[in-house]
Amino acid sequence: MQKQDVPDVQNLRGRFIVIEGVDGSGISTQVVRLHAWLEERTGRKVLATKEPSEGPAGLVLRQALNKRLQGFSQEVLALLFAADRLDHVNHQIRPALDQGSHVICDRYLWSSLAYQGESAGGEWVEAINAKALKPDLTLFVRVEPEITMARIRNNRFQVDLFEKEAFLKRVLARFEHLVEKAQAEGETVAVIDGSMPIESVATAIQDRVQAFLA
Ligand code: TMP
């Protein structure tokens, strides 16, 4: 084989993996685990990132979520999340993928559809996110809000904007609908039982990502 025929693995575009779940479902912990495992497993650089991002719109959103900024309607929040998403894709996600890194993103489009879809309207939220890059794999970590709210109350002093059990139950139902719709449309989606111990959830996620990469 001539040198130029040897595929340069480092130059292949990376994979874009998204992890979603209701508040308190442990996705940030799982992103840390998956990041370490994926780098070791693939030998590639892996960017672990999250939404709201660290970009300018993301910083405004963080202040709205912890109630330092008040008075945004659900529509305004939806627009800010959509703006943050495009900016995040342009400045972090796409450049990393183009350089051959894998990207793991803690929350993405489904969070907008599940959290803002009810009051801002699902179709409109989809429309303002129409230019968002599609993930290659979406992992949905499923935990009942009774469990996640108990975790939040036990582990934190502050409860954020959307952390109310009745609301999160409706968010969970919308996530479940998104899973069904995505599966029907042939997208690559995996549902992980997030009520298991952290290590078991991490192993289940690794198994799904391993199967996806193969
Ligand atoms: P987290 O940083 O603990 O994941 O919290 C982010 C919060 O923002 C969480 O309540 C979900 C919410 N959110 C939306 O409502 N819409 C979105 O598009 C995103 C990315 C997050």
Side-chain angles (χ1 to χ4, degrees):
M1 211 190 236
Q2 305 243 309
K3 191 162 186 282
Q4 64 266 31
D5 297 332
V6 179
D8 181 359
V9 174
Q10 292 302 328
N11 278 338
L12 294 179
R13 184 182 175 277
R15 296 308 182 118
F16 180 25
I17 300 169
V18 166
I19 306 194
E20 298 272 15
V22 302
D23 291 66
S25 49
I27 50 182
S28 303
T29 306
Q30 292 303 330
V31 167
V32 175
R33 303 288 166 116
L34 181 60
H35 182 208
W37 178 84
L38 195 57
E39 270 192 342
E40 157 115 46
R41 181 80 190 69
T42 64
R44 289 209 201 191
K45 275 212 249 173
V46 177
L47 170 71
T49 186
K50 69 174 297 166
E51 292 192 358
S53 78
E54 288 170 2
L59 295 181
V60 174
L61 280 163
R62 291 249 154 252
Q63 295 192 35
L65 290 169
N66 67 26
K67 303 173 198 159
R68 283 195 64 188
L69 280 178
Q70 308 220 2
F72 290 130
S73 68
Q74 287 300 314
E75 284 82 1
V76 172
L77 286 176
L79 288 166
L80 284 167
F81 278 117
D84 180 45
R85 187 156 299 126
L86 269 196
D87 191 52
H88 191 201
V89 168
N90 291 342
H91 289 277
Q92 280 196 282
I93 297 174
R94 206 190 304 271
L97 294 171
D98 289 347
Q99 283 165 22
S101 301
H102 295 308
V103 175
I104 308 167
C105 192
D106 175 340
R107 300 193 176 281
Y108 193 67
L109 171 61
W110 282 16
S111 283
S112 282
L113 294 167
Y115 284 79
Q116 281 72 52
E118 180 177 80
S119 39
E123 279 181 21
W124 180 71
V125 175
E126 233 172 283
I128 60 174
N129 282 281
K131 295 197 179 206
L133 181 69
K134 290 246 178 302
D136 296 305
L137 169 66
T138 303
L139 300 159
F140 175 58
V141 177
R142 188 187 184 290
V143 191
E144 291 291 340
E146 285 91 341
I147 300 175
T148 70
M149 281 308 296
R151 287 181 186 171
I152 289 168
R153 278 191 295 264
N154 289 337
N155 297 334
R156 281 206 255 125
F157 291 111
Q158 188 197 303
V159 174
D160 283 351
L161 190 64
F162 297 127
E163 294 172 346
K164 297 180 194 88
E165 190 171 316
F167 178 68
L168 290 183
K169 282 189 172 174
R170 301 199 297 277
V171 169
L172 176 63
R174 275 194 297 279
F175 271 129
E176 287 176 329
H177 174 72
L178 288 165
V179 169
E180 277 171 27
K181 186 164 167 269
Q183 283 171 337
E185 289 170 0
E187 286 178 35
T188 313
V189 177
V191 181
I192 311 288
D193 175 3
S195 64
M196 299 184 291
I198 290 176
E199 285 309 326
S200 310
V201 177
T203 306
I205 288 177
Q206 287 161 14
D207 289 348
R208 300 309 291 255
V209 174
Q210 169 104 20
F212 161 72
L213 292 174

